[in-house]
Amino acid sequence: MKEKNTAKRLFSVLWIYLLCAALTAILIPLPQKEAGGELWRQYEARLDTPAAQERVMTIEDSDSALLLRLQLIESARRDLIFSTFDLRADESGQDVMSALCAAAERGVQVRMIVDGLNGFLHLQGDATLRALAASENVEVRFYDPVDLLRPWKLNYRLHDKYLIADGERYILGGRNTSDLFLGSYQEKRNIDRDVLVVSNGSENSSVRQLAAYFESVWSQPENRTIKGRASEKTGALHERYELLRENCPAAFADADWEEMTMPVARVSLLHNSPRAENKSPELWDTLCRLMEQGDDVLLQTPYLICNRAMYGDLAHLAGERQVRILTNAVETGANPSGCADYLIEKRTILSCGLDVYEAVSDQSLHTKTVLIGNDLSVVGSFNADMRSAYLDTELMLVIESESFNDVLRQAEAPYIARSRLVLHDGKAGLKIRRLHIGGQAPLKAGAQTLFQTFDLLGRAVGGNDDLLVGIVQGVEGVEELLLRGLLAGDELDIVHQQKVCHAVLHAEVLGAAGADGGDQLVGELLAGDIHDDEVGVGALDLGLDGREQMGL
């Protein structure tokens, strides 16, 4: 009897803890700060200083992304700084860790920081990471690791992805360090983008800005240093490095950084606060101010998940310029909850005056890019969603160059050409050099969100690189989710994702249709019912000439 009572008490305590943890995880991140314009003022002040001499290159494919990371590590002679949201000890992850280990053994100081939640889920006790951390000249930290006494901290994630060599060269973008993003070790890979920046390292250079930002992240009080442990994996790292040298000699050849890059007028770094706390949306505010500088904006984002304030910003932008969104089509997106949210909010998105390209591809788009006019390009880790605006650390590079902007527009052209175009006037059709062709019936969007109370409960959960910390969806009255995935979206099978998406869509849309009898779900929302005349030849809408339409 005593044992049974003890078990009941323990169960009650556990239940109370889980309830309190869930409530604090939901309620504490809810208050949304307003931007004060501080980041924008910093950016403007930087424009008044002489620009550093910097050169850039876009990295569009996963093989080049891995090769250039290995080249960058091999080129280091003094120090390496490596930050990532998600590191896996898979094939490409071991390639990177073996190269870092070899660099440390030749005297390079290596500092690596990984998001603490991903570290907990994928690297806790991992022998390969411990072996790397045991190497002389290597220090590894987890950013804001899991703390059961502070469950609300689970919401504040390190979403940065960059690698700096010798304070002169770096790669920054949207790719995590795993086979889903690097190399060709697996068939299923995401489409993403990084930028290689080669700098003179002067005081006003972007590499100096990035190094200073890293120091602020590195010194956060919540971080935990990972203790190294030598094991048989130490020898395995050495063996893998030797195999890399044998099988991938290009990664160890001297790189001509100047030859592979192009000069640009200026590169500037934008970032959220490095602290693990509710954030003022300074980065989103600055991106909006930048978009105001052009008469044409192309925003590429894996998903679009906004609150009222963000939708208001987009509507304001679209009121005076053409704003186009390139995002995943429902049937190809790797974020099931994001798919559902897009359909639920589609009418709201279109009512903002946005034209949406729904990319149809056998790979999910994970790219985060903003092209503004013909001379501004912004690339990095920021998703057009509430997590990136209010909760996570994020980085974006602002690159001033007509030539680089043109290169990115050519790179986008094939994806736009394979996209369905949904116009903000509520019609699906084609735009050819801004001439509207087609005569489809007005789009009748899926039902509106039933409950808008908790705007910040980050509706999309389960993205490619995002982790769900708390699940509130399924509780009637709360359809938005706090984080992006309790399941690592990297591991979801594409076919399974489509089935999940469709199941959610039927439940959400049909249920809401009952509440709003005038709304219907039209065929273009589901993969099997897309009409041929709704597939847009979107490259023509870019205003490109024949040469540019071929892409790169």
Side-chain angles (χ1 to χ4, degrees):
M1 187 61 123
K2 274 188 181 180
E3 291 178 355
K4 189 177 290 187
N5 290 335
T6 301
K8 283 184 178 179
R9 282 195 290 268
L10 289 175
F11 180 79
S12 298
V13 170
L14 178 61
W15 177 251
I16 292 171
Y17 168 79
L18 291 175
L19 179 61
C20 292
L23 287 174
T24 56
I26 292 170
L27 297 176
I28 290 179
L30 276 180
Q32 299 173 23
K33 299 180 180 179
E34 294 185 1
E38 179 60 28
L39 182 60
W40 175 252
R41 287 189 288 272
Q42 293 174 13
Y43 172 75
E44 283 192 309
R46 206 174 292 144
L47 298 182
D48 294 332
T49 62
Q53 296 178 16
E54 297 188 296
R55 305 173 65 89
V56 305
M57 167 190 173
T58 179
I59 307 172
E60 296 293 317
D61 65 277
S62 59
D63 285 331
S64 297
L66 178 57
L67 175 64
L68 285 165
R69 279 165 170 78
L70 295 176
Q71 284 183 308
L72 201 60
I73 294 170
E74 191 66 18
S75 73
R77 294 295 175 264
R78 299 189 307 273
D79 59 82
L80 285 162
I81 290 171
F82 176 44
S83 174
T84 186
F85 174 71
D86 191 6
L87 169 66
R88 305 292 177 93
D90 54 13
E91 300 295 331
S92 61
Q94 290 185 56
D95 286 347
V96 171
M97 285 191 276
S98 68
L100 290 171
C101 183
E105 290 180 351
R106 65 175 183 265
V108 177
Q109 299 294 318
V110 177
R111 288 188 290 170
M112 180 168 77
I113 190 163
V114 181
D115 176 68
L117 181 55
N118 272 301
F120 175 80
L121 292 175
H122 305 303
L123 297 171
Q124 192 74 13
D126 181 78
T128 302
L129 180 69
R130 299 284 179 171
L132 173 61
S135 302
E136 189 176 359
N137 301 321
V138 175
E139 186 173 0
V140 180
R141 293 182 183 179
F142 283 175
Y143 174 90
D144 187 27
V146 173
D147 184 346
L148 295 179
L149 297 180
R150 299 179 304 158
W152 60 91
K153 284 285 190 177
L154 289 171
N155 281 302
Y156 309 121
R157 306 311 341 143
L158 178 80
H159 201 232
D160 312 330
K161 301 113 179 203
Y162 58 91
L163 172 66
I164 313 174
D166 292 339
E168 297 174 353
R169 301 169 298 281
Y170 66 92
I171 293 171
L172 183 151
R175 285 187 175 92
N176 294 302
T177 308
S178 73
D179 292 347
L180 189 65
F181 296 91
L182 302 178
S184 52
Y185 287 109
Q186 64 181 43
E187 183 178 352
K188 190 191 76 170
R189 299 187 298 276
N190 279 349
I191 298 166
D192 215 322
R193 173 173 293 135
D194 299 311
V195 177
L196 167 67
V197 180
V198 179
S199 175
N200 62 2
S202 66
E203 184 177 353
N204 297 325
S205 64
S206 64
V207 70
R208 285 277 195 98
Q209 299 164 29
L210 183 57
Y213 170 79
F214 168 78
E215 296 298 342
S216 65
V217 172
W218 184 254
S219 62
Q220 289 302 305
E222 297 91 351
N223 295 345
R224 185 175 78 235
T225 299
I226 302 305
K227 294 180 181 179
R229 183 172 62 247
S231 66
E232 69 276 1
K233 290 296 184 180
T234 305
L237 284 173
H238 296 155
E239 291 174 9
R240 189 167 192 100
Y241 180 74
E242 293 305 320
L243 282 174
L244 274 176
R245 292 188 65 90
E246 179 182 340
N247 298 328
C248 188
F252 303 93
D254 290 337
D256 190 338
W257 303 109
E258 184 167 337
E259 176 66 24
M260 67 175 65
T261 54
M262 65 170 61
V264 295
R266 186 187 297 267
V267 182
S268 300
L269 179 73
L270 303 176
H271 60 81
N272 271 343
S273 166
R275 295 188 59 78
E277 63 183 9
N278 286 13
K279 293 174 176 59
S280 169
E282 295 292 338
L283 182 48
W284 171 253
D285 172 72
T286 301
L287 292 175
C288 289
R289 292 174 189 254
L290 284 169
M291 287 187 275
E292 288 179 344
Q293 309 303 307
D295 58 0
D296 176 84
V297 173
L298 176 63
L299 169 63
Q300 183 175 359
T301 179
Y303 27 81
L304 184 67
I305 304 161
C306 301
N307 61 7
R308 294 183 185 90
M310 296 172 72
Y311 281 133
D313 292 334
L314 290 171
H316 171 75
L317 288 167
E320 299 183 8
R321 61 193 53 77
Q322 183 181 33
V323 179
R324 293 169 292 173
I325 308 292
L326 174 59
T327 191
N328 288 295
V330 170
E331 65 270 24
T332 58
N335 183 330
S337 297
C339 293
D341 183 83
Y342 170 68
L343 291 184
I344 293 168
E345 294 296 320
K346 191 168 185 176
R347 188 166 61 188
T348 301
I349 293 168
L350 296 178
S351 72
C352 292
L354 307 171
D355 293 337
V356 181
Y357 291 96
E358 299 174 349
V360 181
S361 174
D362 56 356
Q363 295 173 289
S364 180
L365 295 180
H366 193 253
T367 311
K368 308 97 161 56
T369 297
V370 190
L371 301 178
I372 305 166
N374 66 350
D375 63 346
L376 276 184
S377 307
V378 190
V379 181
S381 65
F382 188 98
N383 296 304
D385 71 0
M386 292 179 285
R387 287 210 51 82
S388 288
Y390 296 97
L391 298 177
D392 294 345
T393 67
E394 301 287 358
L395 296 172
M396 295 293 273
L397 288 180
V398 182
I399 301 168
E400 301 176 32
S401 167
E402 289 188 12
S403 297
F404 188 68
N405 184 282
D406 182 59
V407 167
L408 293 188
R409 287 185 181 275
Q410 292 183 55
E412 302 288 16
Y415 305 118
I416 290 182
R418 297 196 297 268
S419 297
R420 292 192 302 271
L421 175 58
V422 183
L423 307 181
H424 70 267
D425 61 4
K427 299 180 180 179
L430 311 183
K431 273 188 173 182
I432 298 181
R433 296 195 183 279
R434 303 188 189 278
L435 296 179
H436 181 207
I437 298 178
Q440 288 78 6
L443 171 67
K444 294 185 178 179
Q448 293 276 353
T449 305
L450 291 179
F451 298 90
Q452 302 268 342
T453 307
F454 302 114
D455 274 331
L456 186 59
L457 297 182
R459 298 188 194 101
V461 213
N464 297 312
D465 62 357
D466 304 311
L467 303 169
L468 178 71
V469 172
I471 298 183
V472 221
Q473 194 173 33
V475 177
E476 187 173 335
V478 183
E479 62 125 63
E480 298 167 320
L481 302 176
L482 263 178
L483 286 180
R484 297 175 185 139
L486 178 38
L487 299 173
D490 306 9
E491 300 173 353
L492 294 177
D493 179 79
I494 291 294
V495 175
H496 173 67
Q497 292 168 10
Q498 293 176 21
K499 291 178 180 177
V500 172
C501 259
H502 292 176
V504 173
L505 298 182
H506 283 300
E508 293 279 7
V509 176
L510 294 179
D516 186 0
D519 286 325
Q520 301 176 30
L521 179 63
V522 299
E524 63 117 328
L525 299 182
L526 295 178
D529 300 321
I530 298 165
H531 301 293
D532 292 338
D533 59 359
E534 292 177 357
V535 179
V537 188
L540 300 177
D541 185 47
L542 291 175
L544 306 177
D545 59 28
R547 172 188 61 83
E548 293 169 319
Q549 290 172 21
M550 295 191 307
L552 293 178

